[in-house]
Structure formats: C-alpha cells, structure tokens
Amino acid sequence: REAVEATTRWDIALAGAELSRRYDMSRPSLDSATMRLKNARFIPCEEECKRMALAYSPLSAEFSAAAVVLFGSNMGGKTVVLKTALFFQLVAQAGLFVPAEAFATRVFDRIEYVGELDGERLAGLSGFGLEVWRLSRAWNDGCVNGSSALVAFDELARTTGSHEAEALLSAVVEAYSSGQGEGRAFFATHFRGVAR
C-alpha cells in the first residue's frame, strides 16, 4: 500500500512537471490579499483561438477590492476574464503551477461560478428564480457562515428587465463591497446603471 501511495505521489508530481514545462508555467504565490495576474493565459481559450487562427492576448490585471465590476459590451471578453481568474485560482489551490509570468492570490475556502450552466434546472423555478436562489446560496455559503469565498457572477439578473437588473446588481455589489466576510466577488455586466 505504501508503494502504491508513493508511486501515485510521484506520478502526480511528474504529470505536474510535464504540464508546467509544456505550457511555460510558474509557481503561484498564495499569500497576497491582492489578486495579480501577469500575462496569464487561459489555456482552453488560447488553444481555441489558435485553432481558429485568431490572436490571443494574455491577461495582466490586479484586483484588490472585495467586489470587482467588469463592465463592457457583449462579446467584450468579460466572461473570459472571469473564467481566467477562476481557472488560475483553482489550479493554484490544487497545488499546480499556472500558465503565466506571475500569479499572486490567497487561498479561499470556496470558489463558485454563478452564471449560465449547461443543463442546470430546478423544477418549478423561473430563470430569475434560479438566479436568485444561486445568489442566495453563494452569499450564505461565502459570507454569512464566516468562510471566505471567491465568487464570479456572470451577467447576474440577465433574466429580468434592465432597471430591475441594475438595481439588484448594484445592491449585491454594495453588499460584497461592505467587507462582510473574507471573500472576493467578481461581477461581469453590460448594464450601464450598475454602481461601480
């Protein structure tokens, strides 16, 4: 049994080293209150662009606020920024190197994506009801119970009218900005009336 466990650890370490070499990865820093990405490459998106003969630009950004609003038009890259941040956080917390020149963050108790998911259905709830249920669950799991969470909201309140969506999203951004809990929330939106 000990030999099997040692071989498993060695195999995982070897796979991590090969992955690191193939994608020119670096060791993440997990002791920073500010999330910093320098030339961070979201590999699935980068490879898809390569297959389509399209240019791909790595992400360099710094996020220090408890609530970060990414604003822009549809097809502007907001979702890719969210996915890049979550991908890097997951990879770093799994103990692997990351495909970037540098990545600094801290460890979160929970990592959650609140957006459109394939095949997700809750019987009896409207699209908006499902969004509110997921928002409530993310808030309770990440702030109310004292754990730290990294949550990405992709076009929250997209299933309601624009005025209602702007009001709801502004209130949620304000709640996360208040510093209650130890988490960080990202919000991607194209609504202009959201408090930033």
Side-chain angles (χ1 to χ4, degrees), residues 3-52:
V4 168
E5 289 173 0
T7 303
T8 300
R9 285 194 307 273
W10 179 84
D11 193 40
I12 291 170
L14 179 62
E18 288 176 354
L19 188 66
S20 177
R21 237 188 340 228
R22 180 185 307 159
Y23 292 108
D24 192 25
M25 299 167 115
S26 63
R27 180 185 304 274
S29 168
L30 296 173
D31 60 358
S32 174
T34 298
M35 181 183 281
R36 291 184 191 87
L37 302 103
K38 183 174 180 187
N39 290 324
R41 300 176 334 274
F42 182 46
I43 301 298
C45 187
E46 182 181 40
E47 290 181 347
E48 180 74 14
C49 286
K50 195 179 292 184
R51 280 191 295 277
M52 297 172 69

Side-chain angles (χ1 to χ4, degrees), residues 106-164:
R106 65 185 187 83
V107 175
F108 291 92
D109 298 325
R110 295 178 50 84
I111 301 168
E112 189 162 350
Y113 173 79
V114 179
E116 201 166 355
L117 297 173
D118 287 339
E120 184 179 52
R121 286 283 7 67
L122 278 179
L125 284 183
S126 66
F128 183 65
L130 178 59
E131 281 190 291
V132 170
W133 177 80
R134 292 189 72 212
L135 164 63
S136 175
R137 192 183 69 188
W139 176 261
N140 288 332
D141 290 346
C143 291
V144 174
N145 72 8
S147 70
S148 66
L150 174 63
V151 185
F153 294 93
D154 195 3
E155 298 290 352
L156 182 67
R158 68 189 170 284
T159 57
T160 189
S162 60
H163 294 297
E164 294 85 0

Side-chain angles (χ1 to χ4, degrees), residues 31-106:
D31 60 358
S32 174
T34 298
M35 181 183 281
R36 291 184 191 87
L37 302 103
K38 183 174 180 187
N39 290 324
R41 300 176 334 274
F42 182 46
I43 301 298
C45 187
E46 182 181 40
E47 290 181 347
E48 180 74 14
C49 286
K50 195 179 292 184
R51 280 191 295 277
M52 297 172 69
L54 296 172
Y56 175 82
S57 298
L59 174 64
S60 292
E62 188 171 300
F63 305 108
S64 58
V68 176
V69 178
L70 304 169
F71 174 78
S73 62
N74 286 328
M75 303 287 295
K78 301 179 301 292
T79 298
V80 173
V81 171
L82 290 182
K83 288 181 178 181
T84 301
L86 292 181
F87 171 74
F88 270 70
Q89 190 70 40
L90 288 167
V91 169
Q93 284 193 211
L96 299 172
F97 282 24
V98 294
E101 274 184 51
F103 177 58
T105 189
R106 65 185 187 83

